[in-house]
Every structure is written in structure tokens, then in C-alpha cells.
Amino acid sequence: MENERSRILKKALALILPTLASVAIMTTTHAETVSFDRDAPGALPAGWRAGVTGRGFPKWTVEADATAPSKPNVLKQSGSGFFPWCVRPEVSLETGYVEVKFKPLSGKEDQAGGLVWRWKDGDNYYVARANALENNVSLYYTANGRRNTIKYVDAPVPGNTWHTLRVDFAGAEFLVSLDGRRLFTVRDDALEGPGAVGLWSKADSVTEFERFEYSAD
């Protein structure tokens, strides 16, 4: 009897385990965390594309920072421009989330760090950004190179401090969170369909980014 039960149990496990493994693969296939730790300092990380909406001279480089949440490297924007961006062009998401740890370092006009999603090109995308000078978080859509405000909320964003910014998006629904706290939800359907994901800055902001995450739901 015991041997018969053992044979039945082994047979059941043989059927179940491959299925569980397939489910695990399916749930992690579209998720990725980028820490920039394998990229050479002083250059743009592999697989990324940088530019600016409007005029300017952005400078996105991998740099070492001993304060990085996952040492040793960060991605730093130290140039200037209307709206510098840096994206993963091969990624195409319509529904999912984007999240990043960022540290605003300096800037007289702005000290901003942001996330980009549904990026079609350098003139058309969604962006959520936190600003240490203004102590607020906002969400925009950029269409034909023009930035359009969807929502602003006040929120403390101390400078020279690591923060976590996250956006969950599905259809026209958006949820924006800062440092683990849900700030607001909005509806907007200006930009539909899939697009790339990435990072964003503004004006003379010098900002570091770390542990960029994205996933398709």
C-alpha cells in the first residue's frame, strides 16, 4: 500500500512541477531590474538610448556612487536641456509598471527625477516626475514635443536623498507612488498602445538613478 502511494505521489509531482516551473517563467519573463553595476563607468549603459525633448545637451553616464542602494554604480544625468530622457528602446509595454530609485543632487532651475513609459519617440511619451526644489510630484503627457500637465500633488522630496518613484499603468488608469506611498490615481487616454520605458530629467537637474525596474502585467 505504501509503495503504491509513493508511486502515485511521484507521478503527481512529475506532472505538477513542470507546470509550476512554466508559471514561474511566465510571471518573470517580462520583469527586469537594471542596476547599472555591470556597465562601464563614463559611458551610456548598454541597450539604452539618450536624447532630449526640445533643445539642450544632456549627459547620461554610468558613475560610481558609494551611497547607491545596490553598489557600486548609478546612472547620472549631469548635462542640461529642456527635457533630457534615457530609454530602453527595445522594450514595448502597454500595461505594467515602471519604478526607479533616484537622488536629486543639484540644479538652480530644477532638481527633478522622472520615469517615462509608452515612449513612442523623443516627442511623444508619458512622464511622472518628482522635484526636490518644488517638493511635488506630477504626471504629464508629451505630444509632438509639447508637455501637457495631467496632475500635480505636493509631496516632500528632500534633496541628496534616495527616493523611490513608481507608476502603475493599465489602459487609461495610472497610479503614482513615491517612497512606497500612493500619491494619486488619474485617468488619461492621450497616448495609447505600447511604448518604451525609461528615465527623465529637466533643465539643469543633476540626478542619479538606480535600480530601474519594469514589468508587463
Side-chain angles (χ1 to χ4, degrees), residues 7 11 18 48 53 96 158 167 178 190 193 199:
R7 285 195 295 271
K11 187 175 181 179
W48 290 72
T53 303
V167 181
L178 179 69
L199 304 169

Side-chain angles (χ1 to χ4, degrees), residues 8-122:
I8 293 173
L9 180 58
K10 289 179 180 178
K11 187 175 181 179
L13 288 174
L15 293 173
I16 293 172
L17 288 177
T19 302
L20 292 177
S22 298
V23 171
I25 291 171
M26 290 174 62
T27 58
T28 59
T29 296
H30 300 290
E32 185 171 347
T33 300
V34 183
S35 65
F36 310 110
D37 293 332
R38 296 184 179 180
D39 294 287
L44 195 67
W48 290 72
R49 175 184 169 191
V52 61
T53 303
R55 297 187 302 273
F57 301 94
K59 183 181 179 182
W60 296 85
T61 54
V62 175
E63 305 290 345
D65 183 347
T67 74
S70 65
K71 298 175 179 57
N73 292 344
V74 300
L75 179 59
K76 184 177 182 179
Q77 202 300 115
S78 57
S80 64
F82 282 13
F83 307 116
W85 47 260
C86 192
V87 300
R88 297 287 299 269
E90 83 285 359
V91 176
S92 184
L93 299 184
E94 183 173 10
T95 298
Y97 76 86
V98 283
E99 178 179 306
V100 73
K101 295 184 183 299
F102 72 98
K103 182 169 69 170
L105 296 177
S106 64
K108 293 182 178 180
E109 184 178 346
D110 270 285
Q111 294 183 20
L115 286 164
V116 167
W117 68 100
R118 291 187 189 162
W119 186 93
K120 318 296 185 179
D121 55 44

Side-chain angles (χ1 to χ4, degrees), residues 121-204:
D121 55 44
D123 289 330
N124 298 275
Y125 53 83
Y126 279 107
V127 57
R129 74 101 177 97
N131 194 313
L133 285 185
E134 299 175 3
N135 279 309
N136 60 27
V137 175
S138 55
L139 189 148
Y140 311 91
Y141 73 89
T142 299
N144 299 317
R146 180 179 179 181
R147 189 179 63 159
N148 301 271
T149 302
I150 299 173
K151 189 176 180 67
Y152 269 95
V153 298
D154 293 331
V157 189
N160 289 294
T161 302
W162 285 103
H163 302 279
T164 302
L165 182 64
R166 176 179 172 123
V167 181
D168 293 85
F169 50 95
E173 302 285 343
F174 303 93
L175 167 63
V176 179
S177 304
L178 179 69
D179 294 333
R181 182 167 68 95
R182 295 185 175 189
L183 294 182
F184 60 86
T185 59
V186 296
R187 287 184 56 85
D188 186 84
D189 59 3
L191 300 175
E192 299 178 333
V197 296
L199 304 169
W200 184 95
S201 183
K202 183 185 176 187
D204 62 343

